């Protein structure tokens, strides 16, 4: 709605620095009117723009004009034949600080007034050319070229280029570097040609501004190396490192503190890891696999022995075979079994692969790389009652070694002797303990199977041992220590036990010869069919007088002697009881049972023993512990009679006990009365002694206080006098010490001063002597260096030169005059010719000529 209002107004007042665009509708040409003025619009004209304020570009600002007007050399606007302003279509113009200017018809303010970009120090603008042009320095730029505008400075934009980004410098600190990559072929700041994708390091400390075709990949920190750390490096491609060494692709090496204190990895280096130093003391060694030679080449498959004391780094590819090992230190009772892994010379002996040998102490041993330590042996000290089983690994023979300190050699090994589980359990139980404790259910102790099996045969016992190799048995009587050979085993006894007897209850290795007893319960029936349960106890022992092998073997001929003997006795007892009535048996049970077991002699008396000839077992006596009827009615009747007899006996014992108690009570009362009288007399006597002691104590207390005060005053006076004397003595000692210390100080000061002066004089004398000696030596060396002939030549150089000069002129005689006195040569010539001239001319004193 504003446009029609403007059209209705034909007068336009244009303020200063304002403008309008006027379209001539007849010619269709737009012109510009600039204020200050009052413009009257014609009918064929129309104001298309304005009044608009001119574009004002303050200092350090710019703007971009699109489709700028064309100007000639004199900076005047070019107008075509139709009167229309000529424009540079699709072009741009950057205008800097200037007077306010209007936008001509067709011009567009593409970018408003903007402050110029200020580039600070350590920063730059990366600029890319979008059109070919030539800059102020005469350098030609091609579209696509990139370059940097480095600060500090103010960037003046151009229409031919655009600002891609702002680059800030990267600060490189000490022990740092930046890793750069070339985005395009270029030349870096050190004038080195770089290809696309190439990477390099810049280590110079300070701020670094990357070039136009450079990009910062990373900031690399240096690795600080110490005496205990090194860097394990790997080459990513073939290159020459910082130390001037050509590294092949994939090569690995170490960098230690000997090479450099800090190291920044190159772009073609990769830090595999940090290697710690390996330190060996004088009691350690190690074996390095695949060692590196002096040229840094790995020797694959080889080994290298390193002994301490030494510190070193493991090179790439090297590794320790078994880590750091301790030197084998062997005592007198120790040894090592060694095995050769390859052929080598051990002193004067050639060892082949697989050879085994043993070395013995005392010594220190470090195995070479060709030797493997199979086992460390230690001598086994054996008492007379100890032993071990040793097996020869070559022949397989097993032997027992006893009663000596023995070390197993390289061809032997300890052999484990296996025993049945029951025997193992019985070996861990005391053989003389109660038989109930020696049952097979007992938990056995752990036995060292390589030790010789020993068994302590108790007193009056026997053990049978069978040798399966020799097919022989031997019987050992106690007390004795039995030690089994490699092929020997114990004969195990399985005896009956319990009441009544049950088979295989007691298991034992030794046979107790007695005397001992066993108890059994048997059921018998009398002639009148009364069934009784008898508990009998038998005393028994074995008879082995001469203990010959034949007699000793009889002891073990019956496996279960307790079961067999109890069965035999029970059968005899049942037969005898079945022939008598209950009343007769109740009255004569002992005689009937003993007669049935032991039998009767010719005189009708009971014998003393019952002998088993198979194993020489002898039953010496029988004790009837209890006789109980099996029938309940018989048991009740018997119990009533027994109770009546017990009641009568109890009443008589009760009356006797009551009479005895009354008598003892009367005697106790009499003793009590007498003791009471005696105690009262003793009390009165003690009271009398107490009163005497109280009186003496009061007297002592009254006199003691006065005596103590007098003694304290005397002691105080004595102490005060002694303190005064001691104080005077200490003062005199202090005065004496001060005087002596002052005297000693003065004495030492004088001595130090005298010593200083004497040393100073001595040093001066030595200095003068040294200077004279130096001068003399200098003169001698100069004369010696020049030489006597040279000195003579220097001394006679003048006369000799004159003589040689005269000889060169060919003069036979010479006359030297000063030139002021003429010489009469006519007379001289005549004299020479006539021979009248004397041989010696007398010299006139007034004549200055000299011949």
């Amino acid at each position: 709605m504003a446009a029609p209002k403007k059209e209705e107004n034909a007068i336009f007042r244009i303020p200063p620095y304002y403008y309008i665009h006027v379209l001539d509708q007849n010619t269709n040409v737009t012109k510009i009117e600039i204020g200050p003025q009052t413009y009257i619009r014609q009918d064929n004209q129309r104001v298309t723009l304005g009044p608009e304020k001119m574009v004002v570009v303050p200092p350090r600002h710019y703007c971009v004009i699109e489709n700028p007007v064309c100007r000639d050399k004199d900076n005047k606007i070019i107008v075509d034949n139709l009167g229309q302003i000529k424009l540079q279509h699709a072009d741009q113009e950057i205008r800097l600080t200037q007077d306010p200017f209007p936008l001509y018809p067709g011009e567009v303010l593409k970018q408003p007034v903007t402050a110029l970009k200020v580039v600070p120090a350590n920063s730059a603008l990366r600029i890319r050319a979008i059109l070919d042009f030539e800059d102020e320095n005469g350098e030609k730029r091609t579209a696509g070229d990139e370059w940097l505008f480095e600060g500090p400075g103010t960037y003046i934009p151009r229409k031919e280029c655009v600002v891609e980004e702002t680059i800030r410098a990267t600060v490189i600190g000490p022990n740092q570097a930046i890793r750069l990559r070339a985005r395009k072929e270029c030349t870096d700041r050190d004038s080195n040609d770089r290809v696309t994708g190439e990477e390099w390091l810049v280590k110079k400390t300070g701020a670094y501004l990357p070039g136009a075709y450079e990009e910062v990949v990373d900031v690399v920190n240096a690795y600080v190396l110490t005496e205990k750390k090194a860097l394990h490096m790997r080459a990513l491609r073939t290159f020459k490192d910082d130390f001037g060494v050509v590294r092949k692709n994939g090569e690995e090496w170490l960098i230690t503190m000997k090479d450099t204190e800090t190291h920044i990895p190159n772009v073609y280096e990769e830090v595999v890891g940090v290697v710690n130093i390996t330190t060996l003391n004088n009691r350690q060694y190690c074996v390095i696999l695949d060692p590196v030679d002096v040229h840094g080449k790995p020797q694959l498959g080889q080994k290298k022995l390193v002994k301490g004391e030494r510190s070193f780094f493991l090179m790439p590819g090297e590794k320790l075979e078994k880590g750091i090992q301790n030197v084998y230190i062997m005592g007198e009772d120790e040894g090592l079994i060694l095995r050769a892994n390859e052929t080598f010379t051990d002193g004067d002996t050639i060892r082949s692969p697989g050879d085994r040998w043993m070395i013995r102490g005392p010594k220190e041993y470090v195995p070479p790389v060709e030797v493997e330590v199979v086992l460390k042996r230690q001598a086994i000290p054996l008492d007379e009652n100890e032993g071990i089983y040793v097996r020869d690994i070559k022949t397989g023979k097993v032997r027992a070694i006893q009663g000596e300190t023995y070390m197993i050699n390289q061809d032997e090994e300890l052999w484990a002797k296996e025993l049945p589980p029951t025997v193992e359990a019985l070996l861990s139980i005391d053989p003389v303990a109660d038989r109930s404790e020696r049952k097979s259910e007992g938990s056995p102790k752990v036995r060292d199977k390589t030790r010789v099996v020993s068994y302590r045969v108790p007193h009056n016992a026997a053990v049978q041992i069978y040798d399966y190799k020799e097919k022989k048995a031997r019987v050992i009587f106690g007390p004795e220590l039995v030690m089994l050979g490699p092929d020997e085993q114990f004969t195990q006894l399985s005896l009956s036990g319990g009441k009544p007897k049950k088979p295989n209850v007691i298991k034992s290795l030794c046979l107790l010869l007695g005397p001992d007893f066993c108890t059994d319960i048997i059921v018998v029936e009398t002639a009148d069919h009364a069934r009784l349960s008898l508990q009998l106890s038998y005393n028994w022992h074995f008879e082995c007088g001469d203990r010959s092998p034949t007699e000793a073997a009889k002891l073990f001929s019956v496996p279960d002697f307790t079961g067999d003997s109890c069965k035999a006795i029970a059968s005899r007892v049942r037969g005898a009881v079945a022939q008598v009535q209950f009343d007769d048996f109740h009255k004569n049970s002992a005689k009937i049972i003993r007669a049935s077991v032991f039998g009767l002699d010719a005189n009708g008396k009971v014998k003393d023993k019952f002998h088993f000839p198979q194993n020489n077992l002898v039953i010496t006596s029988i004790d009837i512990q209890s006789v109980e009827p099996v029938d309940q009615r018989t048991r009740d009747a018997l119990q009533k009679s027994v109770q009546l007899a017990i009641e009568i006996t109890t009443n008589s014992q009760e009356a006797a006990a009551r009479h005895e108690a009354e008598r003892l009570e009367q005697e106790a009362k009499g003793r009590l009365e007498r003791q009471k009288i005696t105690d009262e007399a003793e009390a009165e006597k003690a009271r009398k002694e107490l009163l005497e002691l109280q009186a003496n104590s009061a007297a002592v207390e009254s006199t003691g206080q006065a005596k103590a005060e007098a003694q304290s005053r005397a002691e105080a006076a004595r102490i005060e006098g002694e303190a005064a004397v001691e104080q005077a003595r200490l003062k005199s000692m202090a005065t004496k010490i001060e005087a002596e210390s002052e005297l000693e100080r003065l004495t030492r000061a004088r001595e130090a001063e005298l010593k200083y002066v004497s040393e100073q004089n001595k040093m001066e004398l030595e200095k003068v002597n040294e200077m004279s000696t130096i001068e003399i030596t200098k003169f001698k060396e100069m004369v010696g260096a020049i030489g006597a002939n040279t000195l003579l030549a220097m001394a006679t150089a003048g006369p000799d030169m004159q003589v040689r000069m005269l000889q060169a002129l060919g003069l036979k005689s010479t006359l030297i005059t000063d030139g002021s006195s003429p010489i009469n040569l006519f007379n001289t010539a005549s004299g020479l010719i006539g021979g009248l001239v004397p041989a010696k001319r007398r010299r006139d004193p007034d004549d200055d000529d000299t011949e």
Side-chain angles (χ1 to χ4, degrees):
M1 298 297 292
K5 291 182 179 179
K6 287 186 178 181
E7 292 297 329
E8 293 174 0
N9 189 8
I11 300 175
F12 290 88
R13 291 178 176 84
I14 305 173
Y17 301 110
Y18 278 77
Y19 68 95
I20 63 174
H21 288 177
V22 179
L23 174 63
D24 189 342
Q25 294 181 352
N26 294 333
T27 61
N28 205 20
V29 174
T30 302
K31 64 179 180 177
I32 186 171
E33 296 292 337
I34 299 174
Q37 64 171 319
T38 299
Y39 179 74
I40 300 173
R41 180 179 60 83
Q42 302 297 325
D43 291 339
N44 61 338
Q45 293 177 344
R46 186 169 60 88
V47 176
T48 60
L49 179 66
E52 292 289 335
K53 188 177 181 180
M54 292 185 180
V55 179
V56 179
V57 182
R60 305 187 63 79
H61 286 68
Y62 75 100
C63 66
V64 179
I65 305 298
E66 190 176 6
N67 304 325
V69 297
C70 296
R71 298 178 185 271
D72 56 9
K73 296 180 179 179
D74 297 332
N75 202 21
K76 292 182 179 181
I77 297 173
I78 300 175
V79 181
D80 58 6
N81 298 330
L82 300 175
Q84 188 174 358
I85 298 173
K86 196 171 184 179
L87 300 176
Q88 302 176 18
H89 293 283
D91 199 357
Q92 294 180 356
E93 180 182 353
I94 295 176
R95 296 178 183 177
L96 303 174
T97 302
Q98 55 182 297
D99 294 337
F101 62 89
L103 292 178
Y104 288 90
E107 290 183 337
V108 178
L109 184 62
K110 184 177 182 180
Q111 181 175 341
V113 176
T114 308
L116 293 174
K117 185 171 290 187
V118 178
V119 183
N122 295 330
S123 297
L125 299 177
R126 184 162 64 87
I127 302 171
R128 179 171 56 86
I130 57 177
L131 296 174
D132 296 345
F133 72 99
E134 185 175 346
D135 60 9
E136 296 82 358
N137 299 326
E139 185 176 355
K140 293 184 178 180
R141 302 287 187 181
T142 307
D145 285 351
E146 294 182 1
W147 67 95
L148 294 183
F149 177 80
E150 300 181 8
T154 302
Y155 174 68
I156 308 298
R158 296 179 63 101
K159 66 177 182 179
E160 297 88 359
C161 51
V162 294
V163 177
E164 291 290 332
E165 62 176 341
T166 301
I167 300 175
R168 299 189 181 277
T170 303
V171 178
I172 304 174
N175 295 330
Q176 277 187 338
I178 58 173
R179 187 171 181 175
L180 302 177
R181 181 189 295 123
R183 297 188 297 109
K184 184 180 177 182
E185 294 183 2
C186 62
T187 302
D188 62 8
R189 294 187 180 274
D190 296 331
S191 301
N192 297 321
D193 294 333
R194 304 294 182 181
V195 297
T196 303
E198 182 179 358
E199 295 183 359
W200 69 96
L201 292 180
V202 176
K203 302 179 181 179
K204 185 178 180 181
T205 303
Y208 181 81
L209 191 64
Y213 298 112
E214 300 173 1
E215 61 178 349
V216 178
V217 179
D218 191 12
V219 177
V220 183
N221 294 318
Y223 287 87
V224 179
L225 302 177
T226 62
E227 295 180 353
K228 297 181 180 180
K229 291 185 178 180
L231 285 182
H232 181 188
M233 311 298 295
R234 181 189 293 126
L236 301 178
R237 55 167 287 184
T238 303
F239 74 106
K240 181 181 287 186
D241 62 8
D242 297 340
F243 308 106
V245 181
V246 176
R247 303 294 184 182
K248 301 295 183 180
N249 188 5
E251 182 181 354
E252 296 183 359
W253 69 96
L254 280 187
I255 299 177
T256 62
M257 192 176 180
K258 295 181 180 179
D259 302 322
T260 178
E261 294 182 355
T262 59
H263 180 68
I264 300 175
N266 202 314
V267 293
Y268 303 120
E269 294 176 347
E270 177 187 3
V271 178
V272 180
V274 178
V275 180
N276 294 321
I277 195 170
T278 302
T279 303
L280 304 175
N281 59 27
N282 57 357
R283 286 294 179 271
Q284 291 178 334
Y285 75 97
C286 65
V287 177
I288 301 176
L289 301 178
D290 303 332
V292 175
D293 60 6
V294 294
H295 302 293
K297 303 298 181 182
Q299 306 298 311
L300 300 179
Q302 295 188 10
K303 297 181 180 180
K304 179 182 179 182
L305 177 64
V306 180
K307 301 179 182 178
E309 299 175 351
R310 188 174 176 186
S311 296
F312 61 94
F313 291 101
L314 284 177
M315 302 299 290
E318 294 181 344
K319 60 181 179 180
L320 298 181
E321 184 177 20
K322 296 181 181 179
I324 297 176
Q325 305 178 61
N326 294 323
V327 174
Y328 291 94
I329 301 176
M330 298 176 290
E332 294 181 355
D333 58 343
E334 293 178 329
L336 289 178
I337 296 179
L338 308 177
R339 180 171 59 209
N341 294 328
E342 54 184 283
T343 304
F344 77 104
T345 303
D346 183 11
D348 298 333
T349 306
I350 298 177
R351 304 288 186 184
S352 300
D355 285 354
R356 290 166 60 104
W357 70 99
M358 175 182 249
I359 60 173
R360 299 175 182 266
K363 67 187 301 184
E364 295 180 1
Y365 183 73
V366 177
V369 295
E370 301 88 359
V371 176
E372 175 189 359
V373 178
V374 179
L375 193 62
K376 185 175 182 179
R377 297 286 196 193
Q378 188 167 3
I380 303 175
L382 301 174
D383 193 11
E384 294 180 356
N385 298 330
E386 295 178 331
I388 55 174
Y389 297 113
V390 178
R391 178 176 177 269
D392 193 323
I393 60 177
K394 289 185 177 180
T395 62
K397 183 179 180 181
V398 181
R399 60 193 180 100
I401 298 173
Q402 303 173 2
E404 61 175 316
T405 300
Y406 186 76
M407 182 182 294
I408 302 173
N409 60 28
Q410 69 274 8
D411 296 327
E412 294 177 340
E413 65 179 1
L414 291 174
W415 180 74
K417 182 177 178 62
E418 297 292 340
L419 295 176
T422 308
V423 178
E424 292 279 5
L426 293 174
L427 285 174
S428 62
I429 301 175
D430 186 8
V432 297
D434 187 75
R435 290 180 178 176
S436 62
E437 299 178 2
R438 290 184 276 138
K439 297 183 179 181
S440 59
E441 291 81 11
S443 58
K445 297 180 181 178
V446 178
R447 177 182 66 87
D448 187 0
K449 296 183 180 180
T450 60
R451 291 278 179 166
V452 170
V453 179
S454 62
Y455 184 75
R456 299 184 183 276
V457 183
H459 177 71
N460 201 22
V463 172
Q464 187 181 43
I465 299 172
Y466 186 78
D467 191 338
Y468 285 88
K469 185 176 182 181
E470 299 292 336
K471 301 293 189 295
K472 293 181 180 179
R474 58 189 178 102
V475 177
I476 307 297
F477 291 92
E480 185 66 54
L481 180 67
V482 177
M483 305 185 75
L484 293 187
D487 301 310
E488 291 181 337
Q489 292 288 346
F490 288 106
T491 298
Q492 180 182 343
L493 299 177
S494 181
L495 306 177
S496 297
K499 295 183 291 184
K501 294 297 183 207
K502 296 179 182 179
N504 301 324
V505 174
I506 300 174
K507 297 184 182 298
S508 175
L509 295 180
C510 66
L511 177 64
L512 300 179
L513 301 180
D516 202 347
F517 69 93
C518 64
T519 304
D520 191 11
I521 297 176
I522 60 176
V523 177
V524 298
E525 186 175 355
T526 61
D528 52 359
H529 303 289
R531 299 188 64 192
L532 302 176
S533 174
L534 305 181
Q535 182 172 341
L536 306 179
S537 178
Y538 317 122
N539 289 338
W540 57 267
H541 69 274
F542 286 96
E543 289 184 351
C544 49
D546 53 359
R547 296 190 177 183
S548 62
T550 304
E551 292 295 326
K554 286 184 177 181
L555 298 176
F556 295 90
S557 61
V558 179
D560 185 5
F561 73 93
T562 57
D564 292 348
S565 61
C566 289
K567 287 178 181 178
I569 294 173
S571 64
R572 292 193 174 197
V573 171
R574 290 192 188 97
V577 174
Q579 299 176 4
V580 296
Q581 298 292 329
F582 174 74
D583 291 336
D584 295 339
F585 176 75
H586 189 267
K587 296 176 182 178
N588 304 313
S589 59
K591 182 179 180 180
I592 295 172
I593 292 174
R594 288 176 59 84
S596 64
V597 174
F598 297 121
L600 301 176
D601 57 5
N603 298 326
K605 294 183 178 180
V606 179
K607 296 181 180 179
D608 296 333
K609 59 183 179 179
F610 177 31
H611 182 260
F612 291 90
Q614 294 84 0
N615 57 352
N616 293 329
L617 176 65
V618 177
I619 306 297
T620 58
S621 65
I622 296 178
D623 181 20
I624 304 171
Q625 293 181 346
S626 66
V627 177
E628 295 181 359
V630 178
D631 187 17
Q632 184 64 36
R633 290 179 298 175
T634 307
R635 184 183 299 112
D636 293 340
L638 183 62
Q639 186 175 3
K640 287 181 181 180
S641 64
V642 172
Q643 286 178 355
L644 181 61
I646 292 173
E647 185 178 356
I648 295 171
T649 305
T650 303
N651 292 332
S652 64
Q653 291 178 351
E654 183 179 355
R658 186 184 305 109
H659 178 72
E660 183 69 19
E662 291 176 354
R663 184 183 64 82
L664 292 176
E665 184 180 358
Q666 293 297 327
E667 291 180 356
K669 286 182 179 179
R671 286 196 299 271
L672 180 61
E673 290 295 333
R674 288 196 299 271
Q675 185 66 33
K676 187 184 296 184
I677 296 171
T678 304
D679 291 343
E680 289 178 355
E682 291 293 334
E684 291 297 329
K685 185 177 180 180
R687 188 180 294 108
K688 177 184 176 183
E689 292 178 355
L690 176 61
L691 293 175
E692 291 178 355
L693 290 175
Q694 287 178 351
N696 293 333
S697 175
V700 170
E701 184 177 357
S702 61
T703 57
Q705 185 175 1
K707 183 177 179 180
E709 290 178 356
Q711 287 180 352
S712 63
R713 286 194 295 272
E715 186 68 20
R718 184 182 64 80
I719 292 172
E720 185 177 356
E722 290 179 354
V725 172
E726 183 67 19
Q727 184 177 7
R729 187 179 64 80
L730 292 176
K731 285 183 178 179
S732 65
M733 289 179 64
T735 306
K736 181 180 178 181
I737 291 171
E738 288 179 358
E740 289 178 352
S741 62
E742 183 65 22
L743 178 61
E744 185 178 359
R745 185 185 66 80
L746 293 174
T747 302
R748 291 187 177 179
R750 298 294 184 271
E751 289 178 354
E753 185 176 358
L754 288 174
K755 185 176 180 181
Y756 171 73
V757 173
S758 62
E759 290 291 335
Q760 189 175 14
N761 294 337
K762 184 178 179 182
M763 291 175 65
E764 289 292 334
L765 268 169
E766 291 178 353
K767 179 180 179 183
V768 171
N769 291 336
E770 290 293 334
M771 291 300 293
S772 62
T773 304
I774 291 171
E775 290 296 331
I776 293 171
T777 305
K778 177 181 177 182
F779 184 75
K780 287 182 179 180
E781 290 178 354
M782 288 174 62
V783 172
I786 295 173
N789 295 330
T790 306
L791 292 175
L792 179 61
M794 291 172 62
T796 60
D800 289 345
M801 183 62 70
Q802 294 175 1
V803 170
R804 284 197 295 272
M805 184 174 63
L806 293 175
Q807 289 177 354
L809 294 174
L811 299 179
K812 299 298 183 181
S813 63
T814 306
L815 179 64
I816 300 174
T817 180
D818 56 358
S820 61
S821 300
I823 301 174
N824 188 2
L825 298 177
F826 296 103
N827 295 332
T828 303
S830 62
L832 291 172
I833 296 172
L836 298 178
V837 180
K840 182 176 182 183
R841 183 174 65 85
R842 186 174 59 189
R843 183 176 181 273
D844 192 356
D846 296 332
D847 193 0
D848 292 334
D849 297 338
T850 304
E851 181 176 338

